[in-house]
Amino acid sequence: FDEFNRIELPVLSVVAQQVLSITNAKRTNSKTFTFPGDAQVVTLNPDVGYFITMNPGYAGRQELPENLKALFRGVTMMVPDREIIMKVKLCSVGYSSFVELARKFNVLYRLCEQQLSKQKHYDFGLRNILSVLRTAGATKRQELKSSEEVLVLRTLRDMNLSKLVSQDIPLFLSLLSDLFPNISMPSSGNDEEMETAVNEVIKKSKLVAFPSWVLKNMQLYDTTKVRHGIM
């Protein structure tokens, strides 16, 4: 069962009793058993096993009850080396200077976690990293002759600016400039057809094409291309 501690606490207590019933039946080599409060007899497969994964201390997760914890043997997982993941992914999508770019990418996200304000919607973990890497790969395939540093810089900026609160934007752009010191901030890699379509709809609806609002529309469009869902 994946993300087991997303289950609400009252349900977890019931699950604990059911797991204990199965465990006790296995210990006594019983062929059948019943769940607490249920008269229905259940046939036991002696090869049954149950395994759970969970993220303790993560937003929206529950702490497992002690009586449920006691039924499982804990296996501690290592925090993955994000820089190695970045190197491999950048190399696999065609970046030749993947070692240096992965180091800058990793440093940027570590500094973002440390220095930007704490917001519930901020995510600088693996999910976000993989989305950025997929976009960096697509950008590389479209612009094979462009500077790799410029492509990664532009992807990191465009993929993160839309979610930052206003007070964090100057700091984020400053961090980018420090990590890519010899590169002027590139223009946005917006889809020209989409931008034209947005401007046509604005004109047709007799609205004002305010630059920051048009930019937000483009950022939303870019986000939908790399995310399964948006909140």
Side-chain angles (χ1 to χ4, degrees), residues 7-156:
I7 301 172
E8 294 180 356
L9 245 136
V11 180
L12 282 174
S13 297
V14 176
V15 170
Q17 294 174 10
Q18 294 177 335
V19 170
L20 181 59
S21 299
I22 300 169
T23 304
N24 288 338
K26 284 195 66 171
R27 283 174 181 159
T28 57
N29 293 319
S30 302
K31 294 189 184 223
T32 60
F33 70 98
T34 58
F35 286 122
D38 189 350
Q40 183 178 350
V41 176
V42 182
T43 304
L44 177 68
N45 181 340
D47 296 325
V48 70
Y50 21 86
F51 306 88
I52 63 174
T53 67
M54 52 185 283
N55 289 313
Y58 204 75
R61 309 301 197 274
Q62 308 288 340
E63 185 65 31
L64 288 190
E66 290 301 321
N67 61 336
L68 185 54
K69 277 185 186 175
L71 301 175
F72 290 92
R73 181 186 300 167
V75 179
T76 304
M77 309 297 288
M78 285 177 61
V79 175
D81 187 329
R82 299 195 298 194
E83 189 168 333
I84 291 176
I85 294 170
M86 293 168 182
K87 282 181 189 175
V88 172
K89 291 290 285 182
L90 285 171
C91 181
S92 69
V93 295
Y95 283 84
S96 55
S97 51
F98 58 90
V99 175
E100 183 65 17
L101 291 173
R103 185 185 64 79
K104 291 183 177 186
F105 190 168
N106 189 40
V107 170
L108 174 68
Y109 270 37
R110 189 171 69 246
L111 291 173
C112 284
E113 288 174 329
Q114 292 170 357
Q115 297 184 20
L116 297 187
S117 64
K118 304 301 177 189
Q119 305 289 334
K120 285 186 178 180
H121 67 282
Y122 280 7
D123 174 22
F124 297 102
L126 278 179
R127 277 194 187 92
N128 179 272
I129 287 169
L130 292 174
S131 292
V132 172
L133 289 168
R134 279 195 296 271
T135 305
T139 306
K140 175 68 174 172
R141 289 189 291 274
Q142 291 168 2
E143 304 179 39
L144 293 172
K145 295 184 180 179
S146 298
S147 162
E148 291 185 347
E149 283 204 326
V150 170
L151 295 180
V152 171
L153 168 60
R154 193 176 73 200
T155 303
L156 286 168

Side-chain angles (χ1 to χ4, degrees), residues 158-175:
D158 293 349
M159 290 286 293
N160 287 291
L161 267 187
S162 61
K163 70 183 177 188
L164 298 180
V165 296
S166 56
Q167 71 258 32
D168 285 333
I169 290 176
L171 177 54
F172 178 76
L173 293 175
S174 174
L175 291 173

